Amino acid sequence: QTTNINKSFYSLPETLIRAGPVSLITRLTQPDKYEQSVLRYMYEARVTDVTDAQGNMDAFFRAPDVWAEQKMLEQRGDREVFDYGKGPTFDRIVLATVWGTFVSGLLGRVIWQLIHGNRNLF
């Protein structure tokens, strides 16, 4: 059973923009696991900001080994603490949109050519 903390999570599109498809799929297919991991992080890290905890768990779901290594380096003082609660900048959103549009168009063209029997993909 989910709690009211779910209301303070950022939206599903924002999850996609901030963390990518892996975290979004986890959030959609396993909402209880997602919520419990955010709550557990808040408890263990003694964090009161839901956005920060959610950002950390999104990063964990995206790449657990990278996230764990970064946290270990932060605790040792070998790396600056990264703020996962901070949203992406406008430049990054524009860059990701342009890149995604380009890759989707290219992939669509390749699929179109293959469906219609053309061996010359471009």
Side-chain angles (χ1 to χ4, degrees), residues 8-98:
S8 58
F9 283 174
Y10 40 76
S11 66
L12 292 175
E14 197 170 351
T15 298
L16 181 63
I17 290 170
R18 285 175 176 245
V22 174
S23 294
L24 179 66
I25 291 169
T26 303
R27 188 171 175 188
L28 290 173
T29 59
Q30 301 171 2
D32 289 335
K33 175 186 175 185
Y34 185 85
E35 182 177 331
Q36 289 304 312
S37 66
V38 171
L39 293 173
R40 183 175 180 191
Y41 180 82
M42 289 176 73
Y43 175 75
E44 290 178 358
R46 292 181 172 80
V47 174
T48 57
D49 184 18
V50 176
T51 304
D52 182 41
Q54 190 177 1
N56 272 279
M57 288 298 91
D58 285 342
F60 174 79
F61 289 131
R62 185 174 56 242
D65 53 337
V66 173
W67 180 83
E69 180 183 15
Q70 183 168 343
K71 288 297 174 185
M72 181 185 68
L73 291 172
E74 287 174 3
Q75 288 177 348
R76 288 194 324 207
D78 294 342
R79 181 183 171 99
E80 184 179 322
V81 176
F82 184 77
D83 182 11
Y84 284 105
K86 191 172 102 177
T89 62
F90 180 73
D91 310 10
R92 185 168 169 108
I93 293 172
V94 169
L95 179 64
T97 302
V98 169

XYZ file of all heavy atoms in Angstrom, residues 8-98:
738
model
N 4.164 13.900 -3.092
C 5.253 14.869 -3.121
C 6.370 14.461 -4.085
O 7.347 15.190 -4.231
C 5.813 15.091 -1.718
O 6.259 13.879 -1.175
N 6.231 13.306 -4.734
C 7.201 12.909 -5.761
C 7.055 13.820 -6.966
O 5.976 14.333 -7.239
C 6.946 11.473 -6.220
C 7.431 10.418 -5.266
C 7.152 9.096 -5.511
C 8.161 10.727 -4.144
C 7.582 8.106 -4.657
C 8.603 9.746 -3.269
C 8.315 8.430 -3.538
N 8.142 13.977 -7.716
C 7.973 14.729 -8.949
C 7.242 13.866 -9.973
O 7.142 12.659 -9.844
C 9.268 15.316 -9.497
C 10.538 14.496 -9.445
C 10.758 13.453 -10.326
C 11.539 14.805 -8.540
C 11.931 12.732 -10.307
C 12.712 14.087 -8.519
C 12.907 13.050 -9.402
O 14.057 12.337 -9.383
N 6.696 14.510 -10.994
C 5.797 13.843 -11.939
C 6.528 12.800 -12.785
O 7.753 12.766 -12.848
C 5.156 14.886 -12.857
O 6.150 15.463 -13.673
N 5.735 11.957 -13.452
C 6.311 10.921 -14.310
C 7.128 11.511 -15.462
O 8.237 11.044 -15.718
C 5.207 9.995 -14.842
C 4.525 9.125 -13.789
C 3.367 8.350 -14.401
C 5.510 8.187 -13.128
N 6.617 12.546 -16.171
C 7.459 13.139 -17.215
C 8.765 13.719 -16.659
O 9.808 13.643 -17.300
C 6.584 14.243 -17.810
C 5.191 13.830 -17.513
C 5.254 13.097 -16.206
N 8.695 14.272 -15.458
C 9.903 14.821 -14.847
C 10.882 13.705 -14.487
O 12.097 13.878 -14.590
C 9.544 15.643 -13.608
C 10.646 16.558 -13.179
C 10.216 17.534 -12.105
O 9.016 17.633 -11.800
O 11.117 18.200 -11.570
N 10.357 12.546 -14.087
C 11.223 11.396 -13.836
C 11.949 11.007 -15.112
O 13.150 10.734 -15.097
C 10.403 10.192 -13.321
O 9.791 10.539 -12.082
C 11.273 8.965 -13.116
N 11.237 10.996 -16.230
C 11.847 10.664 -17.509
C 12.923 11.684 -17.877
O 14.023 11.314 -18.302
C 10.784 10.595 -18.604
C 11.274 10.243 -20.005
C 11.873 8.840 -20.020
C 10.131 10.332 -20.996
N 12.642 12.957 -17.694
C 13.606 14.007 -18.042
C 14.821 13.957 -17.116
O 15.960 14.055 -17.558
C 12.941 15.394 -17.981
C 11.939 15.530 -19.125
C 13.982 16.504 -18.044
C 11.063 16.766 -19.023
N 14.592 13.792 -15.830
C 15.694 13.813 -14.865
C 16.536 12.550 -14.906
O 17.750 12.613 -14.789
C 15.149 13.954 -13.439
C 14.669 15.313 -13.072
C 14.055 15.264 -11.685
N 13.641 16.558 -11.223
C 14.191 17.172 -10.181
N 15.145 16.617 -9.515
N 13.757 18.355 -9.828
N 15.877 11.378 -15.029
C 16.595 10.124 -14.805
C 16.569 9.152 -15.968
O 17.279 8.162 -15.944
C 16.023 9.441 -13.561
N 15.734 9.386 -16.952
C 15.713 8.488 -18.097
C 14.685 7.379 -17.967
O 13.939 7.294 -16.989
N 14.663 6.507 -18.967
C 13.607 5.491 -19.040
C 13.690 4.396 -17.979
O 12.668 3.858 -17.578
C 13.766 4.905 -20.443
C 15.161 5.210 -20.841
C 15.526 6.485 -20.140
N 14.869 4.061 -17.496
C 14.993 2.961 -16.525
C 14.242 3.293 -15.237
O 13.448 2.485 -14.736
C 16.471 2.635 -16.234
C 16.586 1.600 -15.131
C 17.162 2.145 -17.496
N 14.459 4.473 -14.715
C 13.768 4.872 -13.483
C 12.270 5.016 -13.712
O 11.470 4.669 -12.847
C 14.333 6.186 -12.959
O 15.655 6.004 -12.547
N 11.891 5.532 -14.880
C 10.469 5.672 -15.193
C 9.795 4.307 -15.251
O 8.714 4.116 -14.678
C 10.276 6.412 -16.514
C 8.817 6.585 -16.950
C 8.070 7.496 -15.976
C 8.745 7.130 -18.359
N 10.424 3.350 -15.905
C 9.849 2.007 -16.001
C 9.759 1.366 -14.622
O 8.753 0.748 -14.283
C 10.665 1.142 -16.985
C 10.464 1.670 -18.410
C 10.265 -0.322 -16.893
C 11.398 1.076 -19.437
N 10.794 1.534 -13.811
C 10.753 1.008 -12.438
C 9.616 1.650 -11.658
O 8.879 0.972 -10.945
C 12.092 1.266 -11.716
O 13.151 0.682 -12.462
C 12.075 0.698 -10.310
N 9.463 2.941 -11.810
C 8.400 3.663 -11.095
C 7.014 3.205 -11.536
O 6.097 3.115 -10.731
C 8.567 5.161 -11.324
C 7.666 6.001 -10.489
C 8.014 7.460 -10.599
N 7.028 8.251 -9.867
C 6.962 9.555 -9.898
N 7.848 10.246 -10.594
N 6.038 10.189 -9.229
N 6.854 2.899 -12.834
C 5.552 2.476 -13.344
C 5.245 1.016 -13.044
O 4.107 0.672 -12.730
C 5.489 2.703 -14.861
C 5.432 4.156 -15.318
C 5.545 4.236 -16.830
C 4.153 4.819 -14.843
N 6.238 0.152 -13.157
C 5.983 -1.291 -13.005
C 6.082 -1.780 -11.570
O 5.476 -2.787 -11.230
C 6.947 -2.103 -13.883
O 8.295 -1.810 -13.498
C 6.737 -1.803 -15.349
N 6.865 -1.078 -10.747
C 7.039 -1.494 -9.354
C 6.915 -0.279 -8.429
O 7.878 0.114 -7.764
C 8.406 -2.154 -9.174
C 8.614 -3.352 -10.044
C 10.047 -3.845 -9.990
O 10.898 -3.315 -9.278
N 10.328 -4.873 -10.747
N 5.718 0.312 -8.368
C 5.579 1.546 -7.580
C 5.869 1.371 -6.096
O 6.421 2.276 -5.457
C 4.132 1.965 -7.826
C 3.434 0.750 -8.310
C 4.468 -0.096 -8.987
N 5.520 0.218 -5.536
C 5.791 0.000 -4.109
C 7.288 -0.083 -3.835
O 7.785 0.488 -2.869
C 5.088 -1.262 -3.616
C 3.585 -1.091 -3.548
O 3.123 0.065 -3.407
O 2.861 -2.097 -3.648
N 7.999 -0.808 -4.700
C 9.457 -0.911 -4.554
C 10.097 0.462 -4.681
O 10.998 0.815 -3.926
C 10.025 -1.857 -5.610
C 11.529 -1.938 -5.625
C 12.040 -2.778 -6.769
C 13.562 -2.741 -6.829
N 14.085 -3.460 -7.989
N 9.621 1.241 -5.633
C 10.168 2.581 -5.872
C 9.956 3.467 -4.641
O 10.889 4.088 -4.151
C 9.497 3.187 -7.105
C 10.060 4.515 -7.528
C 11.176 4.578 -8.347
C 9.486 5.707 -7.110
C 11.711 5.797 -8.739
C 10.012 6.930 -7.498
C 11.120 6.962 -8.315
O 11.643 8.171 -8.687
N 8.729 3.484 -4.153
C 8.424 4.327 -2.995
C 9.198 3.881 -1.763
O 9.737 4.706 -1.033
C 6.928 4.299 -2.711
C 6.547 5.198 -1.553
C 5.056 5.240 -1.311
O 4.285 5.066 -2.267
O 4.673 5.457 -0.149
N 9.269 2.577 -1.535
C 9.988 2.064 -0.370
C 11.479 2.375 -0.449
O 12.108 2.657 0.568
C 9.755 0.563 -0.210
C 8.357 0.211 0.248
C 7.997 0.907 1.554
O 8.761 0.909 2.520
N 6.823 1.528 1.580
N 12.040 2.334 -1.656
C 13.468 2.655 -1.776
C 13.723 4.129 -1.475
O 14.732 4.464 -0.862
C 13.986 2.276 -3.169
O 13.389 3.065 -4.159
N 12.802 5.008 -1.889
C 12.946 6.435 -1.582
C 12.832 6.649 -0.069
O 13.648 7.358 0.535
C 11.903 7.277 -2.342
C 11.916 8.721 -1.866
C 12.153 7.212 -3.847
N 11.848 6.027 0.552
C 11.678 6.165 2.005
C 12.874 5.594 2.765
O 13.333 6.188 3.756
C 10.384 5.474 2.443
C 9.092 6.117 1.955
C 7.897 5.242 2.307
C 8.934 7.507 2.538
N 13.375 4.471 2.304
C 14.524 3.852 2.969
C 15.756 4.755 2.854
O 16.505 4.915 3.806
C 14.809 2.487 2.357
C 15.925 1.759 3.034
C 16.098 0.378 2.476
N 17.191 -0.286 3.161
C 17.721 -1.404 2.765
N 17.249 -2.023 1.715
N 18.714 -1.939 3.429
N 15.954 5.330 1.673
C 17.084 6.247 1.503
C 16.939 7.446 2.439
O 17.915 7.874 3.061
C 17.214 6.714 0.052
C 18.369 7.660 -0.120
C 19.662 7.166 -0.276
C 18.188 9.030 -0.092
C 20.744 8.035 -0.390
C 19.256 9.903 -0.212
C 20.530 9.399 -0.360
O 21.592 10.253 -0.462
N 15.733 7.983 2.535
C 15.501 9.123 3.424
C 15.848 8.767 4.864
O 16.458 9.556 5.580
C 14.044 9.587 3.324
C 13.706 10.274 2.029
S 11.969 10.711 1.893
C 11.903 12.080 3.052
N 15.477 7.561 5.278
C 15.738 7.131 6.646
C 17.229 6.898 6.873
O 17.809 7.402 7.839
C 14.957 5.850 6.945
C 15.252 5.273 8.302
C 14.734 5.856 9.452
C 16.071 4.153 8.438
C 15.028 5.344 10.699
C 16.364 3.631 9.673
C 15.841 4.224 10.809
O 16.135 3.715 12.034
N 17.864 6.141 5.983
C 19.264 5.772 6.180
C 20.217 6.952 6.008
O 21.224 7.048 6.698
C 19.659 4.643 5.224
C 19.006 3.331 5.589
C 19.348 2.203 4.627
O 20.076 2.444 3.636
O 18.893 1.077 4.872
N 19.909 7.845 5.076
C 20.785 8.995 4.843
C 20.391 10.195 5.694
O 21.045 11.239 5.617
C 20.762 9.371 3.365
N 19.314 10.052 6.445
C 18.786 11.131 7.281
C 18.517 12.387 6.445
O 18.953 13.495 6.781
C 19.728 11.427 8.434
C 19.792 10.293 9.441
C 20.716 10.609 10.582
N 20.663 9.649 11.651
C 21.292 8.469 11.653
N 21.992 8.107 10.607
N 21.189 7.663 12.686
N 17.819 12.169 5.349
C 17.458 13.238 4.425
C 15.977 13.533 4.594
O 15.165 12.614 4.683
C 17.745 12.807 2.961
C 17.252 13.829 1.977
C 19.217 12.544 2.768
N 15.614 14.800 4.635
C 14.203 15.157 4.768
C 13.591 15.609 3.447
O 12.380 15.699 3.328
C 14.021 16.279 5.804
O 14.802 17.402 5.408
C 14.438 15.809 7.187
N 14.428 15.872 2.463
C 13.955 16.338 1.162
C 13.603 15.150 0.268
O 14.474 14.369 -0.113
C 15.030 17.207 0.513
C 14.583 17.806 -0.807
O 13.357 17.835 -1.068
O 15.455 18.251 -1.568
N 12.330 15.022 -0.066
C 11.864 13.910 -0.903
C 12.485 13.989 -2.287
O 12.866 12.962 -2.869
C 10.320 13.901 -0.998
C 9.840 12.816 -1.935
C 9.703 13.734 0.373
N 12.634 15.181 -2.825
C 13.204 15.344 -4.163
C 14.647 14.852 -4.214
O 15.048 14.182 -5.168
C 13.135 16.824 -4.595
O 11.785 17.264 -4.508
C 13.622 17.000 -6.012
N 15.412 15.140 -3.182
C 16.793 14.669 -3.114
C 16.837 13.142 -3.023
O 17.611 12.487 -3.719
C 17.510 15.295 -1.920
C 18.962 14.878 -1.836
O 19.627 14.821 -2.885
O 19.439 14.611 -0.714
N 15.998 12.583 -2.177
C 15.960 11.129 -2.025
C 15.503 10.461 -3.318
O 16.054 9.436 -3.736
C 15.024 10.746 -0.878
N 14.517 11.033 -3.961
C 14.016 10.469 -5.213
C 15.093 10.561 -6.294
O 15.289 9.620 -7.063
C 12.752 11.198 -5.645
C 12.042 10.528 -6.788
C 10.741 11.225 -7.149
O 10.363 12.232 -6.553
N 10.066 10.694 -8.130
N 15.801 11.666 -6.353
C 16.882 11.808 -7.325
C 17.976 10.789 -7.103
O 18.519 10.212 -8.058
N 18.312 10.534 -5.843
C 19.321 9.526 -5.534
C 18.864 8.133 -5.936
O 19.631 7.352 -6.494
C 19.668 9.559 -4.041
C 20.760 10.536 -3.743
O 21.934 10.244 -3.925
N 20.378 11.728 -3.315
N 17.620 7.809 -5.673
C 17.126 6.482 -6.042
C 16.982 6.330 -7.556
O 17.216 5.257 -8.100
C 15.802 6.177 -5.337
C 15.975 5.921 -3.857
S 17.004 4.475 -3.491
C 18.653 5.149 -3.364
N 16.637 7.411 -8.242
C 16.607 7.362 -9.712
C 18.002 7.068 -10.253
O 18.166 6.266 -11.175
C 16.091 8.676 -10.287
C 14.584 8.839 -10.129
O 13.892 7.832 -9.888
O 14.101 9.980 -10.245
N 19.000 7.726 -9.676
C 20.383 7.476 -10.099
C 20.791 6.043 -9.774
O 21.490 5.392 -10.553
C 21.323 8.463 -9.416
N 20.343 5.536 -8.631
C 20.653 4.157 -8.254
C 20.034 3.174 -9.241
O 20.690 2.238 -9.692
C 20.149 3.871 -6.836
C 20.309 2.433 -6.439
C 21.542 1.949 -6.037
C 19.237 1.557 -6.482
C 21.705 0.617 -5.687
C 19.385 0.230 -6.132
C 20.623 -0.243 -5.725
N 18.771 3.365 -9.593
C 18.120 2.455 -10.533
C 18.762 2.525 -11.913
O 18.834 1.535 -12.628
C 16.622 2.746 -10.645
C 15.846 2.365 -9.414
C 14.968 3.257 -8.836
C 15.987 1.127 -8.839
C 14.254 2.920 -7.700
C 15.282 0.760 -7.706
C 14.406 1.663 -7.138
N 19.222 3.698 -12.294
C 19.838 3.880 -13.608
C 21.184 3.160 -13.692
O 21.483 2.511 -14.683
C 20.003 5.366 -13.899
C 20.531 5.678 -15.283
C 20.549 7.166 -15.598
N 21.302 7.940 -14.633
C 20.787 8.903 -13.867
N 19.525 9.228 -13.953
N 21.543 9.560 -13.017
N 22.016 3.271 -12.653
C 23.345 2.654 -12.657
C 23.794 2.439 -11.211
O 24.495 3.287 -10.646
C 24.340 3.537 -13.399
N 23.393 1.316 -10.606
C 23.688 1.086 -9.184
C 25.178 1.116 -8.847
O 25.565 1.670 -7.824
C 23.111 -0.302 -8.909
C 22.218 -0.606 -10.038
C 22.633 0.233 -11.187
N 26.005 0.550 -9.696
C 27.438 0.509 -9.401
C 28.066 1.901 -9.428
O 28.885 2.240 -8.574
C 28.153 -0.430 -10.367
C 27.868 -0.113 -11.831
O 26.823 0.507 -12.113
O 28.686 -0.501 -12.694
N 27.670 2.715 -10.378
C 28.203 4.082 -10.478
C 27.735 4.911 -9.277
O 28.521 5.651 -8.673
C 27.772 4.739 -11.803
C 28.172 6.197 -11.842
C 28.353 3.980 -12.982
N 26.453 4.772 -8.928
C 25.907 5.526 -7.804
C 26.618 5.134 -6.503
O 27.007 6.000 -5.710
C 24.407 5.285 -7.692
C 23.763 6.025 -6.569
C 23.340 7.315 -6.566
C 23.476 5.510 -5.261
N 22.797 7.640 -5.343
C 22.869 6.546 -4.528
C 23.669 4.274 -4.647
C 22.466 6.385 -3.200
C 23.266 4.116 -3.335
C 22.663 5.163 -2.627
N 26.802 3.823 -6.281
C 27.454 3.346 -5.056
C 28.907 3.828 -4.986
O 29.378 4.248 -3.920
C 27.399 1.830 -4.986
N 29.606 3.787 -6.119
C 30.989 4.263 -6.137
C 31.056 5.763 -5.832
O 31.907 6.215 -5.065
C 31.625 3.989 -7.496
C 33.059 4.466 -7.587
C 33.668 4.261 -8.954
O 32.934 4.004 -9.925
O 34.899 4.379 -9.052
N 30.141 6.510 -6.407
C 30.131 7.950 -6.167
C 29.856 8.250 -4.695
O 30.502 9.116 -4.100
C 29.078 8.617 -7.046
C 29.072 10.112 -6.895
C 28.242 10.802 -7.946
O 27.919 10.230 -8.969
N 27.889 12.034 -7.692
N 28.901 7.549 -4.102
C 28.602 7.770 -2.678
C 29.793 7.412 -1.804
O 30.082 8.085 -0.815
C 27.365 6.957 -2.260
C 26.080 7.525 -2.819
C 25.860 8.912 -2.272
C 24.687 9.595 -2.894
N 24.544 10.974 -2.452
N 30.503 6.339 -2.159
C 31.675 5.934 -1.394
C 32.763 7.011 -1.483
O 33.368 7.379 -0.471
C 32.217 4.604 -1.924
C 33.430 4.087 -1.172
S 34.122 2.616 -1.913
C 34.763 3.272 -3.443
N 32.984 7.538 -2.681
C 33.985 8.591 -2.854
C 33.582 9.868 -2.118
O 34.445 10.569 -1.564
C 34.198 8.875 -4.339
C 34.872 7.770 -5.146
C 34.852 8.097 -6.627
C 36.280 7.521 -4.657
N 32.291 10.175 -2.107
C 31.812 11.345 -1.365
C 32.063 11.190 0.127
O 32.489 12.131 0.803
C 30.319 11.561 -1.621
C 29.992 12.089 -2.991
C 28.498 12.158 -3.260
O 27.698 11.846 -2.336
O 28.121 12.516 -4.382
N 31.810 9.991 0.667
C 32.007 9.754 2.101
C 33.477 9.845 2.489
O 33.808 10.294 3.584
C 31.438 8.391 2.494
C 29.931 8.354 2.506
C 29.381 6.979 2.814
O 30.110 5.987 2.813
N 28.076 6.908 3.057
N 34.357 9.410 1.596
C 35.796 9.479 1.872
C 36.340 10.885 1.671
O 37.475 11.174 2.041
C 36.559 8.518 0.964
C 36.372 7.081 1.318
C 37.362 6.164 0.667
N 37.736 6.561 -0.691
C 38.145 5.720 -1.629
N 38.238 4.439 -1.364
N 38.472 6.157 -2.823
N 35.563 11.745 1.031
C 36.008 13.100 0.770
C 36.811 13.231 -0.512
O 37.433 14.262 -0.749
N 36.812 12.191 -1.342
C 37.567 12.219 -2.586
C 36.788 12.837 -3.736
O 37.327 13.018 -4.825
C 37.975 10.794 -2.999
C 38.952 10.173 -2.025
O 39.567 10.929 -1.251
O 39.108 8.935 -2.037
N 35.522 13.120 -3.502
C 34.689 13.688 -4.548
C 33.710 14.664 -3.921
O 33.218 14.456 -2.816
C 33.919 12.576 -5.272
C 33.054 13.089 -6.389
C 32.258 11.956 -7.022
N 31.297 12.508 -7.938
C 31.471 12.570 -9.243
N 32.551 12.093 -9.781
N 30.544 13.084 -10.011
N 33.394 15.728 -4.668
C 32.402 16.695 -4.206
C 31.027 16.028 -4.170
O 30.694 15.211 -5.029
C 32.383 17.869 -5.178
C 31.466 18.981 -4.766
C 31.509 20.133 -5.772
O 32.599 20.438 -6.284
O 30.441 20.702 -6.028
N 30.214 16.382 -3.185
C 28.875 15.814 -3.058
C 28.005 16.312 -4.204
O 27.896 17.519 -4.442
C 28.244 16.189 -1.696
C 26.812 15.670 -1.611
C 29.079 15.632 -0.561
N 27.402 15.368 -4.925
C 26.565 15.709 -6.069
C 25.119 15.841 -5.604
O 24.616 14.985 -4.879
C 26.674 14.631 -7.149
C 25.918 14.969 -8.395
C 26.428 15.874 -9.306
C 24.686 14.398 -8.659
C 25.738 16.198 -10.462
C 23.982 14.706 -9.808
C 24.511 15.613 -10.707
N 24.438 16.878 -6.027
C 23.051 17.131 -5.637
C 22.101 16.509 -6.661
O 21.841 17.089 -7.711
C 22.809 18.634 -5.523
C 21.404 18.965 -5.065
O 20.673 18.048 -4.639
O 21.038 20.152 -5.126
N 21.606 15.321 -6.356
C 20.679 14.641 -7.265
C 19.288 15.255 -7.240
O 18.485 14.983 -8.104
C 20.571 13.155 -6.908
C 21.760 12.347 -7.337
C 22.695 11.910 -6.414
C 21.954 12.015 -8.667
C 23.793 11.159 -6.795
C 23.043 11.275 -9.066
C 23.949 10.839 -8.126
O 25.028 10.108 -8.512
N 19.003 16.064 -6.233
C 17.690 16.691 -6.143
C 17.520 17.867 -7.091
O 16.410 18.299 -7.366
N 18.627 18.372 -7.595
C 18.587 19.510 -8.500
C 18.162 19.040 -9.892
O 18.669 18.064 -10.409
C 19.978 20.145 -8.567
C 20.014 21.478 -9.250
C 21.385 22.103 -9.087
C 22.143 21.920 -10.387
N 23.441 22.539 -10.400
N 17.221 19.741 -10.473
C 16.731 19.387 -11.797
C 17.714 19.742 -12.896
O 18.667 20.485 -12.670
N 17.477 19.221 -14.093
C 18.377 19.525 -15.203
C 18.221 20.971 -15.665
O 17.154 21.562 -15.530
C 17.923 18.553 -16.292
C 16.495 18.262 -15.973
C 16.388 18.329 -14.478
N 19.275 21.501 -16.233
C 19.233 22.859 -16.750
C 18.480 22.880 -18.080
O 18.306 21.842 -18.731
C 20.653 23.405 -16.972
O 21.305 22.586 -17.943
C 21.445 23.427 -15.677
N 18.060 24.060 -18.485
C 17.335 24.202 -19.742
C 18.198 23.749 -20.923
O 17.706 23.109 -21.846
C 16.888 25.660 -19.926
C 16.127 25.892 -21.189
C 14.827 25.446 -21.324
C 16.731 26.537 -22.264
C 14.121 25.644 -22.495
C 16.040 26.753 -23.438
C 14.723 26.298 -23.559
N 19.495 24.062 -20.872
C 20.409 23.664 -21.956
C 20.420 22.147 -22.122
O 20.401 21.633 -23.239
C 21.847 24.102 -21.655
C 21.973 25.547 -21.267
O 20.944 26.198 -21.037
O 23.111 26.022 -21.199
N 20.469 21.449 -20.997
C 20.520 19.982 -21.049
C 19.224 19.403 -21.615
O 19.244 18.431 -22.363
C 20.791 19.432 -19.658
C 20.968 17.950 -19.672
C 21.526 17.463 -18.359
N 21.443 16.030 -18.309
C 22.486 15.237 -18.400
N 23.683 15.744 -18.522
N 22.334 13.933 -18.334
N 18.099 19.991 -21.271
C 16.809 19.523 -21.799
C 16.757 19.737 -23.303
O 16.344 18.842 -24.050
C 15.646 20.239 -21.086
C 15.577 19.816 -19.619
C 14.324 19.941 -21.786
C 14.595 20.603 -18.794
N 17.211 20.899 -23.760
C 17.222 21.180 -25.202
C 18.163 20.215 -25.921
O 17.813 19.639 -26.955
C 17.612 22.649 -25.474
C 17.878 22.883 -26.948
C 16.530 23.579 -24.963
N 19.346 20.013 -25.374
C 20.316 19.109 -25.986
C 19.768 17.688 -26.068
O 19.882 17.028 -27.107
C 21.620 19.126 -25.195
C 22.731 18.214 -25.709
C 23.171 18.660 -27.100
C 23.908 18.220 -24.751
N 19.154 17.205 -24.995
C 18.589 15.853 -24.991
C 17.448 15.727 -25.988
O 17.301 14.695 -26.660
C 18.106 15.495 -23.587
N 16.638 16.759 -26.116
C 15.523 16.738 -27.067
C 16.038 16.695 -28.503
O 15.560 15.901 -29.322
C 14.621 17.965 -26.855
O 14.150 17.966 -25.509
C 13.443 17.951 -27.806
N 17.019 17.529 -28.804
C 17.589 17.548 -30.157
C 18.255 16.211 -30.467
O 18.045 15.621 -31.533
C 18.593 18.717 -30.310
C 19.385 18.610 -31.602
C 17.862 20.040 -30.238
